[in-house]
């Protein structure tokens, strides 16, 4: 099984590249952000709990996030593997993910971070906000808060996965196809 975690600040291109990897390697793509947005649209009780959190660009509490992730993984018993997009985002989530996968006799194969400077990401998000309908993409302060959440809580995962020899990073700036090739080269040369 190929189980890949894609990291990157908001706007780094995780979703785009995850969709590419999904079709190339026939994997199941799980985006916790998409799952939360789905619940918000459907106005489920979980959706109502997390609406303002997503709007402000804060992280959803670990307990709710881990639960939604585990439920989604359990739905896909027959798969070649998973691409985790936007999860884990905290050390606690990463530890819980390792424990959970172990119970299923699975493990993370490796993790890849898409790197880009904040200024580039900010411009990408504001542009995306013109059409995405995502309120967290239209307000500069909220975007900067998402960057801060990443730096404070997600960045430490680099060390966590490096210790397991599972951390790689690539330049996330350039043509989408070129970035996909950078990803393939990591995946196929390891
Ligand atoms: P982006 O990476 O562009 O911020 P996502 O769709 O991955 O977009 O995430 C959108 C929002 O969903 C986050 O700002 C956060 O509120 C929530 N979220 C998604 N994944 C997680 C997670 N693993 N832990 C906590 N909150 C999350």
């Amino acid at each position: 099984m190929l189980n890949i975690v894609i990291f990157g600040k908001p706007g780094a291109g995780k979703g785009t590249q995850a969709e590419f990897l999904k079709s190339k390697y026939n994997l199941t793509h799980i985006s916790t952000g998409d799952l939360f947005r789905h619940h918000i649209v459907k106005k489920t009780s979980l959706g109502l709990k997390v609406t303002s959190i997503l709007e402000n660009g804060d992280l959803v509490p670990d307990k709710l996030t881990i639960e939604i992730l585990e439920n989604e993984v359990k739905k896909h018993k027959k798969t070649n593997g998973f691409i985790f997009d936007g999860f884990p985002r905290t050390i606690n989530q990463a530890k819980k993910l390792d424990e959970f996968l172990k119970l299923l006799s699975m493990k993370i194969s490796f993790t890849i971070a898409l790197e880009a400077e904040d200024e580039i990401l900010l411009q990408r998000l504001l542009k995306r906000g013109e059409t995405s309908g995502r309120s967290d993409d239209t307000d500069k302060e909220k975007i900067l808060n998402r960057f801060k959440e990443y730096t404070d809580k997600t960045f430490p995962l680099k060390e966590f996965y490096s210790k397991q020899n599972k951390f790689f990073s690539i330049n996330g700036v350039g043509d989408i196809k070129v970035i996909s090739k950078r990803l393939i080269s990591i995946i196929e040369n390891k």
Side-chain angles (χ1 to χ4, degrees):
M1 250 183 139
L2 189 58
N3 297 310
I4 305 172
V5 173
I6 298 221
F7 287 118
K9 282 185 176 174
K14 299 182 294 292
T16 306
Q17 296 300 336
E19 277 300 306
F20 164 77
L21 294 177
K22 169 189 165 163
S23 54
K24 175 153 179 84
Y25 297 104
N26 199 13
L27 303 172
T28 302
H29 173 196
I30 300 185
S31 155
T32 38
D34 284 350
L35 292 171
F36 287 131
R37 281 186 289 275
H38 181 76
H39 278 270
I40 289 172
V41 169
K42 296 270 172 214
K43 295 194 164 53
T44 65
S45 66
L46 172 65
L48 295 174
K49 267 188 215 155
V50 303
T51 302
S52 65
I53 301 178
L54 266 85
E55 226 156 63
N56 292 326
D58 295 326
L59 290 190
V60 173
D62 281 348
K63 194 169 174 298
L64 294 178
T65 309
I66 291 160
E67 211 172 279
I68 200 173
L69 185 279
E70 293 189 356
N71 285 337
E72 196 60 26
V73 169
K74 284 188 212 150
K75 281 188 200 161
H76 300 274
K77 296 228 156 54
K78 289 188 184 146
T79 178
N80 283 339
F82 292 92
I83 308 170
F84 298 105
D85 158 10
F87 186 97
R89 262 171 149 110
T90 64
I91 295 271
N92 183 36
Q93 290 178 14
K95 287 183 179 160
K96 289 280 167 30
L97 180 62
D98 277 352
E99 288 167 17
F100 171 68
L101 293 179
K102 203 168 171 198
L103 288 177
L104 302 175
S105 306
M106 288 162 53
K107 61 180 166 49
I108 293 299
S109 311
F110 47 86
T111 71
I112 307 178
L114 299 172
E115 310 273 6
E117 284 170 22
D118 285 7
E119 190 49 39
I120 293 180
L121 298 174
L122 176 64
Q123 296 312 325
R124 283 187 190 170
L125 289 170
L126 290 171
K127 181 134 189 56
R128 182 169 87 184
E130 291 170 8
T131 53
S132 68
R134 282 180 58 172
S135 60
D136 60 343
D137 281 349
T138 47
D139 180 311
K140 185 172 171 192
E141 288 310 309
K142 291 177 183 172
I143 292 173
L144 295 182
N145 184 45
R146 284 154 71 198
F147 290 171
K148 184 169 176 345
E149 286 283 71
Y150 189 91
T151 305
D152 293 350
K153 298 174 184 164
T154 310
F155 187 73
L157 289 173
K158 176 175 181 174
E159 197 191 332
F160 179 88
Y161 284 112
S162 294
K163 279 191 187 145
Q164 301 185 18
N165 290 320
K166 287 182 183 172
F167 184 86
F168 298 86
S169 71
I170 60 167
N171 179 358
V173 182
D175 190 85
I176 289 177
K177 288 204 177 107
V178 174
I179 298 168
S180 299
K181 285 197 181 127
R182 292 179 191 144
L183 276 171
I184 296 175
S185 114
I186 300 245
I187 294 170
E188 298 187 359
N189 289 310
K190 342 177 5 295

